[in-house]
Amino acid sequence: MRAFLGKILRFCVGLMLFLLCWEGIVRLFELPNFMLPSPVRVVDAFARQPSFLLYHASLTLGETLLGFVFGVLAGAAVALLLWASPLARRGLLPVVLVTQALPVFAIAPILVLWLGFGLTSKVVMAILVIFFAVTSSFYDGLRQMEPGLVDLARLYRVSRLRELWLFRLPSALPALASGIRIAAVFAPIGAVVGEWVGAKGGLAFIMLQSNARMQTDVMFAALILLALMVLCLRAIVDRVTRWLVHWQAET
C-alpha cells in the first residue's frame, strides 16, 4: 500500500509540474487559443460538455478493450500453432510478418470499406496493431525454453502436449506478459486510427471535428481523456501480468 501511494503521489507531482509548465509556456509566448489552449481552457471545455465527451470516450474504450482482448487471444493462439506445427509455421509466419509490415493507415480505409463505420472495423484494426507483438513475444518464449528443462522432458519421454503444459507454458509466460504489456499501449492506436479514417463517434472523431472547427480546447480535452485511458489500461494490465508471473524477480 505504501508503494502504491508513493506512485500515486509521484504521478500527481509530475502532473502538476507538467500543467504548470504548460500554463507558463502559454502565458510567456502569449499563444492564441486556437494554437495551444491553456490547461484552464481545456478543463473548461470538458466542464461545458462532460457527458458528450465521456460518451465518445466510452466508444473508444469499448473498441480498445475488445481489440485488446481478442488481439491477445488471437496472438497467443497463433503463437501456439506456430510452435506446434512446422507446416503452420511455414504458411502463417510470412502472413504474420506481412501484417506488421503494412502501414496502419494503408489498412484502415480497406477495413472501413469492408466492415463499415461501426464497431467492427475499429476492433479489427486494434487487433491487427497488437497482434504481432503478442504473437512474436509468446512464440519466442515457447521456443527459448531452458536447456535443463528440455533434457528433463526428453529424459522422462513426456508427450508434446505435456511438455507444453508442464514446461514450455510456464517458461514462456514472462514473454507473453511482456507482449501483453506492449499490447495495452498499442491497442488504443488501432481504435483511434480506425476512427480517423471513418467513424460515427469516438475520441478521434471528436478530435477531427474540433480541429475542423478550430475548437482546439475541445480537441485537447479529448486527447487528455485518451491519454488517461491508456495510462489506466496499462496500469491494470501491469498489475495483472505481475500476478501472472509472480515468481519472476523484478529489479
Side-chain angles (χ1 to χ4, degrees):
M1 180 61 69
R2 183 178 299 177
F4 177 73
L5 292 176
K7 289 181 180 180
I8 295 294
L9 180 61
R10 288 194 295 271
F11 173 77
C12 292
V13 171
L15 180 61
M16 290 300 299
L17 290 174
F18 171 74
L19 292 177
L20 288 174
C21 291
W22 181 359
E23 183 70 27
I25 290 172
V26 173
R27 291 179 180 272
L28 179 63
F29 295 101
E30 298 181 350
L31 298 175
N33 183 49
F34 69 87
M35 183 176 295
L36 180 63
S38 67
V40 176
R41 286 184 176 272
V42 174
V43 172
D44 181 64
F46 179 79
R48 290 197 307 267
Q49 43 189 351
S51 58
F52 173 75
L53 288 170
L54 290 177
Y55 167 73
H56 286 278
S58 68
L59 296 179
T60 303
L61 179 61
E63 296 162 358
T64 300
L65 292 178
L66 288 173
F68 173 76
V69 171
F70 288 113
V72 169
L73 292 176
V78 171
L80 288 170
L81 186 59
L82 291 175
W83 171 81
S85 171
L87 180 61
R89 191 155 53 243
R90 288 193 295 268
L92 284 179
L93 195 55
V95 177
V96 173
L97 294 175
V98 166
T99 59
Q100 182 64 18
L102 291 176
V104 175
F105 281 98
I107 304 174
I110 300 174
L111 291 178
V112 171
L113 178 64
W114 288 350
L115 304 175
F117 289 89
L119 177 70
T120 307
S121 59
K122 316 306 179 294
V123 173
V124 173
M125 193 70 217
I127 291 172
L128 290 176
V129 168
I130 70 174
F131 173 78
F132 180 80
V134 178
T135 302
S136 177
S137 299
F138 193 31
Y139 177 53
D140 287 342
L142 289 170
R143 290 190 304 167
Q144 297 170 0
M145 191 170 72
E146 294 183 12
L149 295 177
V150 175
D151 294 337
L152 184 63
R154 290 175 180 173
L155 177 63
Y156 285 95
R157 298 180 180 179
V158 299
S159 65
R160 195 160 174 81
L161 183 60
R162 286 180 63 83
E163 176 190 336
L164 173 66
W165 180 254
L166 296 176
F167 297 103
R168 292 197 180 269
L169 278 180
S171 179
L173 278 180
L176 176 61
S178 297
I180 293 174
R181 293 188 190 108
I182 296 172
V185 176
F186 284 101
I189 295 177
V192 167
V193 170
E195 291 175 357
W196 273 339
V197 173
K200 300 177 182 179
L203 289 176
F205 175 80
I206 295 301
M207 292 178 202
L208 287 175
Q209 296 293 320
S210 302
N211 188 43
R213 299 170 183 171
M214 302 297 288
Q215 297 174 337
T216 316
D217 50 354
V218 179
M219 184 177 68
F220 269 81
L223 186 61
I224 289 174
L225 282 176
L226 180 63
L228 291 175
M229 183 191 307
V230 173
L231 289 174
C232 291
L233 180 60
R234 173 56 197 254
I236 294 171
V237 168
D238 191 57
R239 180 61 61 90
V240 172
T241 51
R242 283 185 183 182
W243 171 81
L244 186 66
V245 291
H246 57 86
W247 67 86
Q248 186 181 30
E250 295 186 3
T251 58

